[in-house]
Short mmCIF file of all heavy atoms in Angstrom, two decimals:
data_model
loop_
_atom_site.label_atom_id
_atom_site.label_comp_id
_atom_site.label_asym_id
_atom_site.label_seq_id
_atom_site.Cartn_x
_atom_site.Cartn_y
_atom_site.Cartn_z
N ALA G 6 17.70 -39.25 20.11
CA ALA G 6 18.74 -38.24 20.22
C ALA G 6 19.36 -37.93 18.87
O ALA G 6 20.17 -37.01 18.75
CB ALA G 6 19.82 -38.69 21.19
N LYS G 7 19.01 -38.73 17.85
CA LYS G 7 19.54 -38.55 16.49
C LYS G 7 21.07 -38.58 16.52
O LYS G 7 21.73 -37.83 15.78
CB LYS G 7 19.05 -37.24 15.87
CG LYS G 7 17.56 -37.01 15.95
CD LYS G 7 17.19 -35.71 15.26
CE LYS G 7 15.98 -35.05 15.91
NZ LYS G 7 16.28 -34.47 17.22
N LYS G 8 21.63 -39.45 17.36
CA LYS G 8 23.08 -39.54 17.39
C LYS G 8 23.64 -40.13 16.11
O LYS G 8 24.74 -39.81 15.70
CB LYS G 8 23.53 -40.35 18.60
CG LYS G 8 23.32 -39.67 19.94
CD LYS G 8 24.07 -40.36 21.05
CE LYS G 8 25.57 -40.19 20.90
NZ LYS G 8 26.33 -40.77 22.01
N THR G 9 22.89 -41.02 15.50
CA THR G 9 23.29 -41.58 14.20
C THR G 9 22.16 -41.31 13.22
O THR G 9 21.02 -41.68 13.46
CB THR G 9 23.55 -43.08 14.29
OG1 THR G 9 24.52 -43.34 15.29
CG2 THR G 9 24.05 -43.60 12.95
N VAL G 10 22.51 -40.66 12.15
CA VAL G 10 21.53 -40.32 11.11
C VAL G 10 22.02 -40.90 9.79
O VAL G 10 23.21 -40.82 9.47
CB VAL G 10 21.35 -38.80 11.01
CG1 VAL G 10 20.45 -38.44 9.85
CG2 VAL G 10 20.77 -38.26 12.32
N TYR G 11 21.10 -41.47 9.06
CA TYR G 11 21.44 -42.12 7.80
C TYR G 11 20.83 -41.36 6.62
O TYR G 11 19.82 -40.68 6.75
CB TYR G 11 20.89 -43.55 7.79
CG TYR G 11 21.36 -44.39 8.94
CD1 TYR G 11 20.56 -44.56 10.06
CD2 TYR G 11 22.61 -44.99 8.93
CE1 TYR G 11 20.97 -45.32 11.14
CE2 TYR G 11 23.04 -45.76 9.99
CZ TYR G 11 22.23 -45.92 11.10
OH TYR G 11 22.64 -46.67 12.16
N LEU G 12 21.47 -41.52 5.49
CA LEU G 12 20.90 -41.03 4.23
C LEU G 12 20.98 -42.18 3.24
O LEU G 12 22.07 -42.52 2.76
CB LEU G 12 21.65 -39.81 3.71
CG LEU G 12 21.06 -39.20 2.45
CD1 LEU G 12 19.69 -38.57 2.75
CD2 LEU G 12 21.98 -38.14 1.86
N GLN G 13 19.84 -42.79 2.99
CA GLN G 13 19.77 -43.85 1.99
C GLN G 13 19.56 -43.20 0.64
O GLN G 13 18.59 -42.46 0.44
CB GLN G 13 18.61 -44.80 2.31
CG GLN G 13 18.43 -45.91 1.31
CD GLN G 13 19.57 -46.92 1.35
OE1 GLN G 13 20.04 -47.30 2.41
NE2 GLN G 13 20.00 -47.37 0.18
N MET G 14 20.46 -43.49 -0.27
CA MET G 14 20.41 -42.87 -1.59
C MET G 14 20.22 -43.96 -2.64
O MET G 14 21.12 -44.78 -2.84
CB MET G 14 21.69 -42.08 -1.86
CG MET G 14 22.02 -41.07 -0.76
SD MET G 14 23.44 -40.02 -1.16
CE MET G 14 24.74 -41.25 -1.24
N ASN G 15 19.07 -43.97 -3.28
CA ASN G 15 18.75 -44.95 -4.32
C ASN G 15 18.66 -44.26 -5.68
O ASN G 15 18.54 -43.04 -5.77
CB ASN G 15 17.42 -45.63 -3.99
CG ASN G 15 17.46 -46.40 -2.69
OD1 ASN G 15 18.50 -46.91 -2.29
ND2 ASN G 15 16.31 -46.50 -2.02
N SER G 16 18.69 -45.06 -6.71
CA SER G 16 18.57 -44.55 -8.09
C SER G 16 19.51 -43.37 -8.31
O SER G 16 19.11 -42.32 -8.81
CB SER G 16 17.12 -44.13 -8.36
OG SER G 16 16.24 -45.21 -8.17
N LEU G 17 20.75 -43.55 -7.94
CA LEU G 17 21.71 -42.46 -8.02
C LEU G 17 21.96 -42.04 -9.47
O LEU G 17 21.94 -42.87 -10.40
CB LEU G 17 23.01 -42.87 -7.35
CG LEU G 17 22.96 -42.80 -5.81
CD1 LEU G 17 24.10 -43.62 -5.20
CD2 LEU G 17 23.02 -41.37 -5.35
N LYS G 18 22.19 -40.76 -9.62
CA LYS G 18 22.45 -40.16 -10.93
C LYS G 18 23.82 -39.49 -10.91
O LYS G 18 24.30 -39.10 -9.85
CB LYS G 18 21.39 -39.10 -11.24
CG LYS G 18 19.96 -39.60 -11.17
CD LYS G 18 18.98 -38.44 -11.37
CE LYS G 18 17.54 -38.92 -11.30
NZ LYS G 18 16.58 -37.80 -11.50
N PRO G 19 24.43 -39.33 -12.09
CA PRO G 19 25.73 -38.64 -12.12
C PRO G 19 25.68 -37.25 -11.47
O PRO G 19 26.66 -36.83 -10.85
CB PRO G 19 26.04 -38.55 -13.61
CG PRO G 19 25.36 -39.75 -14.18
CD PRO G 19 24.08 -39.89 -13.39
N GLU G 20 24.55 -36.58 -11.56
CA GLU G 20 24.45 -35.25 -10.96
C GLU G 20 24.37 -35.29 -9.44
O GLU G 20 24.38 -34.23 -8.79
CB GLU G 20 23.24 -34.49 -11.52
CG GLU G 20 21.93 -35.24 -11.48
CD GLU G 20 21.62 -35.95 -12.80
OE1 GLU G 20 22.54 -36.56 -13.40
OE2 GLU G 20 20.44 -35.90 -13.22
N ASP G 21 24.29 -36.46 -8.84
CA ASP G 21 24.38 -36.59 -7.39
C ASP G 21 25.82 -36.60 -6.89
O ASP G 21 26.07 -36.59 -5.68
CB ASP G 21 23.68 -37.87 -6.92
CG ASP G 21 22.19 -37.86 -7.18
OD1 ASP G 21 21.55 -36.82 -6.95
OD2 ASP G 21 21.66 -38.92 -7.59
N THR G 22 26.76 -36.62 -7.82
CA THR G 22 28.17 -36.61 -7.44
C THR G 22 28.51 -35.34 -6.67
O THR G 22 28.27 -34.24 -7.16
CB THR G 22 29.06 -36.73 -8.69
OG1 THR G 22 28.84 -38.01 -9.30
CG2 THR G 22 30.53 -36.58 -8.33
N ALA G 23 29.07 -35.52 -5.48
CA ALA G 23 29.38 -34.38 -4.62
C ALA G 23 30.04 -34.90 -3.34
O ALA G 23 30.04 -36.11 -3.08
CB ALA G 23 28.13 -33.61 -4.27
N VAL G 24 30.56 -33.97 -2.58
CA VAL G 24 30.94 -34.27 -1.20
C VAL G 24 29.71 -34.02 -0.34
O VAL G 24 29.10 -32.95 -0.41
CB VAL G 24 32.11 -33.40 -0.72
CG1 VAL G 24 32.43 -33.71 0.75
CG2 VAL G 24 33.35 -33.65 -1.58
N TYR G 25 29.35 -35.02 0.44
CA TYR G 25 28.16 -34.94 1.28
C TYR G 25 28.58 -34.66 2.73
O TYR G 25 29.46 -35.32 3.27
CB TYR G 25 27.36 -36.24 1.20
CG TYR G 25 26.58 -36.36 -0.09
CD1 TYR G 25 27.22 -36.57 -1.30
CD2 TYR G 25 25.19 -36.24 -0.09
CE1 TYR G 25 26.51 -36.66 -2.49
CE2 TYR G 25 24.46 -36.33 -1.27
CZ TYR G 25 25.13 -36.54 -2.47
OH TYR G 25 24.42 -36.62 -3.65
N TYR G 26 27.91 -33.69 3.32
CA TYR G 26 28.21 -33.27 4.68
C TYR G 26 26.96 -33.44 5.56
O TYR G 26 25.85 -33.12 5.12
CB TYR G 26 28.61 -31.80 4.73
CG TYR G 26 29.83 -31.44 3.93
CD1 TYR G 26 29.74 -31.06 2.60
CD2 TYR G 26 31.10 -31.46 4.53
CE1 TYR G 26 30.86 -30.72 1.87
CE2 TYR G 26 32.23 -31.11 3.81
CZ TYR G 26 32.10 -30.74 2.47
OH TYR G 26 33.22 -30.40 1.77
N CYS G 27 27.17 -33.89 6.78
CA CYS G 27 26.08 -33.84 7.74
C CYS G 27 26.29 -32.65 8.67
O CYS G 27 27.43 -32.22 8.89
CB CYS G 27 25.94 -35.14 8.54
SG CYS G 27 27.39 -35.61 9.48
N ALA G 28 25.21 -32.14 9.17
CA ALA G 28 25.27 -30.94 10.00
C ALA G 28 24.16 -30.96 11.04
O ALA G 28 23.12 -31.60 10.84
CB ALA G 28 25.13 -29.70 9.11
N ARG G 29 24.41 -30.26 12.15
CA ARG G 29 23.42 -30.22 13.23
C ARG G 29 23.24 -28.78 13.70
O ARG G 29 24.17 -27.95 13.62
CB ARG G 29 23.88 -31.05 14.43
CG ARG G 29 24.16 -32.51 14.14
CD ARG G 29 24.55 -33.25 15.39
NE ARG G 29 23.44 -33.43 16.29
CZ ARG G 29 22.73 -34.55 16.40
NH1 ARG G 29 23.02 -35.59 15.64
NH2 ARG G 29 21.74 -34.65 17.26
N THR G 30 22.05 -28.51 14.21
CA THR G 30 21.77 -27.20 14.80
C THR G 30 20.66 -27.33 15.81
O THR G 30 19.77 -28.17 15.67
CB THR G 30 21.38 -26.18 13.72
OG1 THR G 30 21.19 -24.90 14.33
CG2 THR G 30 20.08 -26.59 13.03
N ALA G 31 20.72 -26.47 16.83
CA ALA G 31 19.63 -26.39 17.80
C ALA G 31 18.78 -25.14 17.55
O ALA G 31 17.92 -24.81 18.35
CB ALA G 31 20.17 -26.38 19.22
N ARG G 32 19.05 -24.47 16.44
CA ARG G 32 18.29 -23.26 16.11
C ARG G 32 17.05 -23.63 15.31
O ARG G 32 16.97 -24.68 14.70
CB ARG G 32 19.15 -22.31 15.27
CG ARG G 32 20.38 -21.81 15.97
CD ARG G 32 21.23 -21.01 15.00
NE ARG G 32 22.46 -20.54 15.62
CZ ARG G 32 23.50 -20.03 14.95
NH1 ARG G 32 23.41 -19.91 13.65
NH2 ARG G 32 24.57 -19.63 15.58
N GLY G 33 16.15 -22.72 15.25
CA GLY G 33 15.01 -22.87 14.36
C GLY G 33 13.84 -23.58 15.00
O GLY G 33 13.89 -24.01 16.15
N PRO G 34 12.76 -23.71 14.25
CA PRO G 34 11.53 -24.30 14.76
C PRO G 34 11.66 -25.80 15.00
O PRO G 34 12.58 -26.44 14.50
CB PRO G 34 10.51 -24.01 13.65
CG PRO G 34 11.32 -23.86 12.43
CD PRO G 34 12.63 -23.26 12.85
N GLN G 35 10.71 -26.32 15.76
CA GLN G 35 10.77 -27.73 16.13
C GLN G 35 10.41 -28.65 14.96
O GLN G 35 10.89 -29.78 14.90
CB GLN G 35 9.78 -28.00 17.28
CG GLN G 35 10.27 -27.51 18.63
CD GLN G 35 11.36 -28.40 19.19
OE1 GLN G 35 11.41 -29.60 18.93
NE2 GLN G 35 12.26 -27.81 19.96
N ASN G 36 9.55 -28.19 14.08
CA ASN G 36 8.99 -29.10 13.09
C ASN G 36 9.29 -28.74 11.64
O ASN G 36 8.48 -29.00 10.75
CB ASN G 36 7.48 -29.19 13.30
CG ASN G 36 7.14 -29.85 14.62
OD1 ASN G 36 7.66 -30.91 14.93
ND2 ASN G 36 6.31 -29.20 15.40
N SER G 37 10.46 -28.17 11.42
CA SER G 37 10.90 -27.96 10.04
C SER G 37 12.41 -27.84 10.04
O SER G 37 13.03 -27.74 11.10
CB SER G 37 10.26 -26.71 9.44
OG SER G 37 10.67 -25.55 10.14
N ASN G 38 13.01 -27.88 8.87
CA ASN G 38 14.46 -27.75 8.74
C ASN G 38 14.81 -26.51 7.95
O ASN G 38 14.22 -26.27 6.89
CB ASN G 38 15.04 -28.96 7.99
CG ASN G 38 15.25 -30.14 8.89
OD1 ASN G 38 14.39 -31.00 9.00
ND2 ASN G 38 16.40 -30.19 9.55
N SER G 39 15.78 -25.78 8.45
CA SER G 39 16.34 -24.72 7.63
C SER G 39 17.13 -25.36 6.48
O SER G 39 17.78 -26.38 6.66
CB SER G 39 17.27 -23.84 8.45
OG SER G 39 17.98 -22.96 7.60
N LYS G 40 17.07 -24.73 5.33
CA LYS G 40 17.83 -25.22 4.18
C LYS G 40 19.05 -24.35 3.93
O LYS G 40 19.70 -24.50 2.90
CB LYS G 40 16.92 -25.27 2.95
CG LYS G 40 15.77 -26.26 3.13
CD LYS G 40 14.89 -26.36 1.91
CE LYS G 40 13.77 -27.39 2.17
NZ LYS G 40 12.87 -27.52 1.01
N ARG G 41 19.35 -23.50 4.89
CA ARG G 41 20.51 -22.62 4.77
C ARG G 41 21.67 -23.19 5.56
O ARG G 41 21.56 -23.43 6.77
CB ARG G 41 20.18 -21.22 5.27
CG ARG G 41 19.02 -20.56 4.59
CD ARG G 41 18.90 -19.09 5.00
NE ARG G 41 18.93 -18.93 6.46
CZ ARG G 41 19.05 -17.74 7.04
NH1 ARG G 41 19.20 -16.64 6.31
NH2 ARG G 41 19.04 -17.65 8.37
N ALA G 42 22.80 -23.35 4.90
CA ALA G 42 23.98 -23.91 5.56
C ALA G 42 24.42 -23.07 6.75
O ALA G 42 24.89 -23.60 7.76
CB ALA G 42 25.12 -24.05 4.56
N LEU G 43 24.23 -21.76 6.68
CA LEU G 43 24.73 -20.91 7.74
C LEU G 43 23.94 -21.08 9.04
O LEU G 43 24.36 -20.60 10.09
CB LEU G 43 24.73 -19.45 7.30
CG LEU G 43 23.41 -18.81 6.83
CD1 LEU G 43 22.59 -18.30 8.00
CD2 LEU G 43 23.71 -17.65 5.87
N ASP G 44 22.80 -21.76 8.99
CA ASP G 44 22.02 -22.00 10.21
C ASP G 44 22.49 -23.22 10.99
O ASP G 44 21.97 -23.50 12.06
CB ASP G 44 20.53 -22.17 9.86
CG ASP G 44 19.88 -20.85 9.47
OD1 ASP G 44 20.34 -19.80 9.94
OD2 ASP G 44 18.92 -20.88 8.68
N TYR G 45 23.45 -23.94 10.46
CA TYR G 45 23.96 -25.14 11.11
C TYR G 45 25.36 -24.86 11.63
O TYR G 45 26.19 -24.31 10.89
CB TYR G 45 23.98 -26.31 10.12
CG TYR G 45 22.59 -26.74 9.71
CD1 TYR G 45 21.88 -26.03 8.75
CD2 TYR G 45 21.97 -27.83 10.32
CE1 TYR G 45 20.60 -26.39 8.40
CE2 TYR G 45 20.69 -28.21 9.96
CZ TYR G 45 20.00 -27.48 9.00
OH TYR G 45 18.73 -27.84 8.66
N TYR G 46 25.62 -25.22 12.88
CA TYR G 46 26.94 -24.85 13.42
C TYR G 46 27.84 -26.02 13.75
O TYR G 46 28.97 -25.82 14.13
CB TYR G 46 26.80 -23.92 14.63
CG TYR G 46 25.76 -24.29 15.65
CD1 TYR G 46 25.96 -25.33 16.53
CD2 TYR G 46 24.58 -23.56 15.74
CE1 TYR G 46 25.00 -25.66 17.47
CE2 TYR G 46 23.62 -23.89 16.69
CZ TYR G 46 23.83 -24.93 17.55
OH TYR G 46 22.88 -25.26 18.49
#
């Protein structure tokens, strides 16, 4: 159900500094991810 999703981040760099957001959507194809923020609600 992907109720808990993790992001393991190794070898971090200063350019990785940011606020990280998780997002979900039921739109789009079954076997790929949209990379557009507006597709996640």
Side-chain angles (χ1 to χ4, degrees):
K7 310 182 211 72
K8 290 194 68 176
T9 304
V10 174
Y11 304 98
L12 184 68
Q13 179 69 41
M14 307 186 296
N15 298 330
S16 302
L17 282 162
K18 304 175 181 180
E20 51 264 43
D21 295 318
T22 295
V24 177
Y25 284 71
Y26 299 90
C27 59
R29 302 182 71 100
T30 183
R32 298 174 182 167
Q35 284 286 330
N36 294 310
S37 64
N38 278 93
S39 170
K40 297 182 179 179
R41 303 189 310 169
L43 58 84
D44 287 333
Y45 293 80
Y46 45 75

